Amino acid sequence: MNRTLVIVKPDAVERGLVGEVLARLERRQLRLVAAELRLIDLATARRHYAEHEGKPFIEGVIALLTRSPALVAIVEGPGETWKVVRAMIGATNPAEAAPGTIRGDLAVDMSQNVIHGSDSAESAQREIAIFFPHLA
Ligand code: ATP
Ligand code: MG
């Protein structure tokens, strides 16, 4: 079994979409290993999005992720779980995300795109260590 990190972002928690997003993942037969509603602090958000430091959109992304509680979770499945989750999430820009994907069905705005999923097995390992050090 392989694990990946998922964050149901504050915009989605505010809209009451936690159940909808988790239900989609669970219906796909991905199992929840850990899940916690928490206010992500600035330092943790910056560490999480370290690859984007210096890019023009970074401050907006950090502000979004820290503005209200997010649902941080680890999901587990057979095969390349990170890849399955990314396919379910859809394109970064919800306006371009295919219908049937989480962003393609639930979002339209790049800065409020509902969910984060790790983008590689290495990212999954790194991000799980950030948010759930006891499970890394
Ligand atoms: P995430 O890491 O949140 O799952 P992603 O992997 O699809 O999203 P990244 O390239 O990692 O996309 O970008 C992180 C976040 O930064 C995106 O979710 C989006 O909100 C924002 N973002 C990315 N590119 C842009 C851009 N060109 N303009 C504005 N915001 C952007
Ligand atoms: Mg990313």
Side-chain angles (χ1 to χ4, degrees), residues 24-81:
R24 285 174 178 239
L25 297 172
E26 290 190 309
R27 282 206 303 270
R28 192 70 190 271
Q29 293 188 293
L30 300 172
R31 197 178 71 84
L32 271 176
V33 174
E36 188 188 317
L37 194 65
R38 71 167 84 150
L39 188 59
I40 299 174
D41 63 72
L42 273 176
T44 302
R46 287 197 181 281
R47 194 173 157 208
H48 172 66
Y49 278 132
E51 64 173 310
H52 298 308
E53 207 53 62
K55 293 183 185 169
F57 57 83
I58 184 65
E59 297 309 328
V61 168
I62 298 293
L64 181 288
L65 196 63
T66 57
R67 81 177 181 202
S68 62
L71 192 283
V72 188
I74 300 173
V75 299
E76 179 179 81
E80 292 187 287
T81 305

